[in-house]
Amino acid sequence: MARVLVGVKRVIDYAVKIRVKPDRSGVVTDGVKHSMNPFCEIAVEEAVKLKEKKVIKEVVAVSCGPQQVQETIRTALAMGADRGIHVEVSGKDYEALGPLQVSKIMAALAKKEEAKMVILGKQAIDDDCNQTGQMTAALLDWPQGTFASEVTVEGEKVKVVREIDGGLETIKINLPAVLTADLRLNTPRYATLPNIMKAKKKKIANVKPGDLGVDLTSRVEVLQQGAPEGTERRTGGWTEPRNSPPGPLKCAVFCYHFFRSAPGPRPPSCSRAHSSRSACGVGFRLNTALKNNARQTGGRPQTCQAESSRPPNLILDNHTARTRRPDALIPARGTRDSQEG
Amino acid sequence: MANPLRGEVVKLYKNLLFLGREYPKGADYFRDRLKTAFMKNRDETDPEKIKQMIARGEFVIKELEALYYLRKYRALKKRYYEHDE
């Protein structure tokens, strides 16, 4: 049986708070912790699992970028990949490296290595493009199984359960094929220290895009990057309560009204304006109580939404419309300064 | 000091130290706690007891890996799948 090509991308760690450069030309990457894109981890894990089931013989991890991406490849090797390919792209080319360029590289490598399958993460958490897998499949003219949440190889075919809006879709496609991993495909194993040490013995080949006959010129120009609106400070949002007085009392009065009608004991500090669920715990209890109340009365809860804590991700300006919060939400009155404890 | 289990203990410590780099409360916090935990039992000589402690350490490694996985999974779910209930 043949080999599988897995793409891994080095991105800013998911737990790092993203900061945009003051001139809005990009995000701060210097001195920031990087790690493998979580979706790529899932892709690597799936390939290694297939190898453990003896469906395939070899797992090759590929990454494009400067010298540092070798660390990412090393992580993939520690997770169980057999060897790595480092496609050297640096400087200007790396800045302009987009999904199209990467998919050209992946397609060229897939042909060169005679891969039976290309497994990629469905998207990277830095640019959120979600295009590389699809374009690789198009360039190779192979079938694609995107957003895979279950993969079973059956002879020369592969059955893929895909996550689609509102459910799951099962498809059967011919091999060779391109698959992209969704979040629920598997639980990636941890690259432990002994495995990382062992991985240092595995080989990483160095390839230049020119050797593959890939042209890296980009047709996309990034004008500016910025944080989505309203994410400078993550605060809770509140829906306007009915008959509420204007002004700073709004939130407190809302709590008062609400807790008078809500069953159960009254939380201790509800007269205080609060900013988020976690800040004082009241918001959270409020939410739970709202739901209970709604369950009892059979009505819809008067929504009191604590904004999700999605950190400002790298989002281009034209995406902000999607992430802007609904107009019904008004910003919470008091913020962190007005709170004790 | 020539305890045959010494190597294993050191290995365990190294592995835990490596895992601690990703600890949500910070690597320093983790390292301090880790060191205190190991120093507490420095005078243990009974091989049975040492083996038990190593097993416990390995259990902690598993727990930490699970913790990191869940943390990542939850963060991603919140960011990309927050609309499903």
Side-chain angles (χ1 to χ4, degrees), chain A residues 14 41 128 182 187 190, chain B residues 22 69 72 79-82:
Chain A
Y14 78 98
E41 278 178 3
D128 282 337
D182 209 319
T187 59
Y190 199 82
Chain B
E22 257 188 73
Y69 166 69
K72 194 180 279 182
R79 283 180 213 177
Y80 295 108
Y81 302 82
E82 60 188 6

Side-chain angles (χ1 to χ4, degrees), chain A residues 241-245 252-262:
Chain A
R242 242 175 285 165
N243 307 326
S244 67
V253 168
F254 171 50
C255 289
Y256 175 64
H257 274 301
F258 169 71
F259 281 113
R260 257 204 342 193
S261 59

Side-chain angles (χ1 to χ4, degrees), chain A residues 176-229:
Chain A
V178 178
L179 306 179
T180 67
D182 209 319
L183 186 62
R184 297 176 188 86
L185 182 57
N186 55 41
T187 59
R189 65 195 70 183
Y190 199 82
T192 55
L193 184 61
N195 284 341
I196 289 178
M197 293 320 236
K198 275 180 218 156
K200 289 196 172 161
K201 288 197 189 99
K202 293 178 180 170
K203 287 209 172 68
I204 298 180
N206 225 316
V207 178
K208 293 222 159 56
D211 305 341
L212 301 166
V214 174
D215 170 32
L216 287 184
T217 47
S218 175
R219 294 178 189 83
V220 179
E221 187 192 353
V222 176
L223 299 178
Q224 63 170 22
Q225 295 185 349
E229 260 170 58

Side-chain angles (χ1 to χ4, degrees), chain A residues 14 33 38 41 122-123 125 128 182-184 187 190 192 194 196 308-311, chain B residues 14-15 18-19 22 65 68-69 71-73 75-82 84:
Chain A
Y14 78 98
K33 190 187 170 205
E41 278 178 3
K122 66 157 187 159
Q123 72 188 65
I125 60 165
D128 282 337
D182 209 319
L183 186 62
R184 297 176 188 86
T187 59
Y190 199 82
T192 55
I196 289 178
S308 80
S309 59
R310 185 182 196 273
Chain B
K14 274 189 184 170
N15 283 344
F18 173 78
L19 271 171
E22 257 188 73
E65 282 174 10
Y68 295 158
Y69 166 69
R71 186 163 171 256
K72 194 180 279 182
Y73 178 85
L76 286 176
K77 194 163 174 223
K78 221 176 196 170
R79 283 180 213 177
Y80 295 108
Y81 302 82
E82 60 188 6
D84 19 296

